[in-house]
Structure formats: structure tokens, C-alpha cells
Amino acid sequence: MLLGDLGAEVTRVERPVEAEVIPGVTSESDVLLRGRTVVRADLKVPAERDRVLDLIAGADVLVEGYRPGAAERMGLGPEDCAARNPGLVYARMTGWGQSGPRAHTAGHDINYIALTGVLDNIGPAGGDPIPPLNLVGDFGGGSMFLVVGVLAALHERTRTGRGGVVDGAIVDGVGALAQMQWSMRGQGRWSTGRGNNVLDGSAPFYRTYRCADGAHVAVGCIESRFFRTMLDGLGIDPGSLPPQWDRPRWPEIASALETAFAAAPREHWAELFRDTDACVTPVLTYDEALGDEHLVARGAFVRTPVDAAAPAPRFA
């Protein structure tokens, strides 16, 4: 989808009949499949495999997501494809990578972010780790890094004329995605697990608060001047609170903010802080996000034919 949104002509090769179908899911409603042509082929049949090789011969990029060695056994590995197309960028997407003890075992997003230490940092202090949907592993550490590798390989090809193999492993991408936390850990500014960290919901100035109507606002005023702007809006005297960065007393600050936000409904706070630098925003549902004035003005969502995110990034 990302490559197609950027203007690539994408052909998706599917089995003649998909073995596992999710009830209620159609190609029209699955917006991840937008912008591509579908070719059906049984890759275990030599004639149909050769038909796909003919497509590969004229392609710039091949993306495959089999377990290591599966494409080679079908005669569609990097060497097979390079023989037909020396300039091909062969992009391999797996969870564990092409090598290592787990390379041939199954896994999902939650497993990859668990093994890399990331999941242990997501969730309430004293509670259980909570999977952040499948955004961090599948799409953040997986797809995004694979696309970066593909674009870099295409750029390299303009200089050498040769293609290459991109080994995209979700565990590798997740590790790089969490580099800021690794850096803070190395500086002694990140605690193991959940609690007492700036970005994990422990800091009173970087978390969500429940409002009088049961809805929530998100607070992200890390910088001191933004923190003061938030306190001004809430009518709280800064002198009545501990210093912003006095970590042992963060619960006191959080308690004061909880009381303040609980005194009015979400929309009151959304309107109060709308044009300020307090870094306070309403926590919207997907339905509400479709009508947000900023996102509407940006054209952040499209109807194709169901609601979906618009292509990103944009080019001027």
C-alpha cells in the first residue's frame, strides 16, 4: 500500500483460492489492498511459477513474506529471480529475520515486540503489559523499515545498475524504533518495566486524564513553558505543586490534575486549550476523528469506499 500510494504500479500475486479467509472481509473493504492489480497463481505448479517469473523479469521490486527458504524451494528465491532480472530489488519481510534460532518458527506482532523488550514498557505501572494494537511491530518495525530499505536499494541501483536483497525483520526494526528508549536507558534515564518513566504514562504531564463525562484528554506538556500554560488553563497555581521534574512527587501532581480535569467534560477542555501551546487534546474515537476540523482541513481521511487514511507523506 505504501509503495502504491507513492506511485508504484503494484501487482499482488495470490493463491487461486485463499486458504484462510476472515469472515466479512472483502477486497473492497480492505483498504490495505488499495492501488494494486491482483494475479492469481499456484506457485507450486511449474507453469504458473514461470508465469510469475515472467512478471518478475520486468519488475523493479519483489516483496515476499514467506518463512526463510520457502521461496527458494519454489524456485523463486533471490538467485532464481536475479537470473531473470539482475536489477531486481528482492525485499524479504519476516518477523524473526532470515537467520537465527527462531527464524523458522511462527510469530505475530505481540511476540516480536515482547522479545525485543518493548512490550514490557507499555502498560500501567503495577499492571500487565498491553499490546499497542499491531502498530509497533508489523507496521512500525516491519513495513516502514522494509520500505526504507527498498527505496535505498532502488537509489543504489541508479548508481550500480544492480539490484540486491533487503532482509526486513520486524525484530530488527522494532529495536531501531525503540532507539530513544535504549539511549535513555544508557544515560540512566529509563527504568526497567512500567513506572517512573517520562513517556510510559508515569509522568503527570504525559498521560491521559478522565473528564466529567467519562471521556479523556491527552496531556503532553513536557516542556516547562507548556506545562505552565496547561496549569494556567486549569486554574492551578504552580506554587501549589511540587516541581515538575520531582519524580518521587509525581503522584501529587497527577492527583491535582486528575481532580481538575474531572471537573468539566472533555469538550470544555478541548475548546479551552484549542489554540494554546498547552499540548492538551481530546482523545477521539475513529468516528470522531473523521469530523475533527484539523484532520478534515488536511484531508487526512478519504472514502474508498470505506473510511481510510489518505496517502502519506505529501509532496510539494
Side-chain angles (χ1 to χ4, degrees):
M1 187 198 76
L2 295 174
L3 293 170
D5 286 350
L6 291 173
E9 180 182 333
V10 180
T11 300
R12 174 183 171 94
V13 177
E14 293 182 354
R15 288 171 289 184
V17 177
E18 290 294 337
E20 298 178 6
V21 177
I22 301 174
V25 173
T26 64
S27 58
E28 291 76 18
S29 65
D30 188 352
V31 291
L32 287 172
L33 299 179
R34 72 186 179 198
R36 71 199 71 183
T37 301
V38 174
V39 171
R40 299 191 181 277
D42 185 345
L43 300 179
K44 295 180 181 179
V45 176
E48 297 198 27
R49 179 204 60 205
D50 291 344
R51 183 163 62 95
V52 172
L53 278 171
D54 290 340
L55 290 174
I56 291 171
D60 293 300
V61 180
L62 172 69
V63 177
E64 66 94 0
Y66 296 113
R67 297 195 199 198
E72 284 84 349
R73 289 192 295 273
M74 289 187 291
L76 290 168
E79 293 185 4
D80 303 300
C81 294
R84 295 291 299 273
N85 184 351
L88 181 73
V89 172
Y90 194 107
R92 320 197 79 167
M93 184 76 263
T94 61
W96 305 115
Q98 296 296 313
S99 60
R102 294 180 183 266
H104 292 275
T105 62
H108 277 295
D109 179 294
I110 191 171
N111 307 118
Y112 309 135
I113 68 173
L115 202 71
T116 52
V118 170
L119 182 57
D120 185 57
N121 292 277
I122 302 174
D128 299 324
I130 297 177
L133 305 181
N134 67 328
L135 301 178
V136 175
D138 288 348
F139 301 123
S143 298
M144 291 294 185
F145 278 85
L146 188 75
V147 168
V148 169
V150 165
L151 298 180
L154 287 172
H155 179 67
E156 173 71 5
R157 192 183 67 178
T158 64
R159 298 192 298 170
T160 67
R162 298 190 302 274
V165 178
V166 180
D167 176 5
I170 294 176
V171 289
D172 297 342
V174 168
L177 203 62
Q179 198 72 293
M180 181 178 181
Q181 281 69 47
W182 282 106
S183 177
M184 294 173 73
R185 177 179 178 273
Q187 298 164 354
R189 298 191 296 122
W190 191 269
S191 303
T192 298
R194 298 165 303 287
N196 203 36
N197 294 306
V198 175
L199 302 177
D200 66 358
S202 302
F205 47 81
Y206 200 88
R207 51 165 287 188
T208 61
Y209 289 92
R210 182 182 294 271
C211 304
D213 56 354
H216 294 80
V217 292
V219 171
C221 46
I222 298 175
E223 294 82 359
S224 59
R225 64 184 184 280
F226 299 158
F227 181 69
R228 288 193 299 270
T229 299
M230 180 199 64
L231 294 181
D232 289 343
L234 292 174
I236 297 177
D237 177 9
S240 68
L241 297 177
Q244 179 183 355
W245 290 94
D246 188 346
R247 295 189 182 219
R249 301 185 67 184
W250 274 356
E252 296 178 44
I253 301 176
S255 178
L257 298 184
E258 287 172 354
T259 300
F261 280 114
R266 184 191 69 182
E267 290 312 304
H268 169 79
W269 302 118
E271 185 62 31
L272 179 70
F273 290 112
R274 184 185 305 277
D275 298 317
T276 74
D277 284 340
C279 301
V280 177
T281 54
V283 177
L284 302 182
T285 65
Y286 282 136
D287 288 338
E288 291 171 329
L290 291 171
D292 177 76
E293 62 177 359
H294 179 79
L295 300 179
V296 169
R298 288 283 299 172
F301 299 103
V302 294
R303 185 86 181 176
T304 60
V306 297
D307 297 317
R314 306 176 189 200
F315 297 89

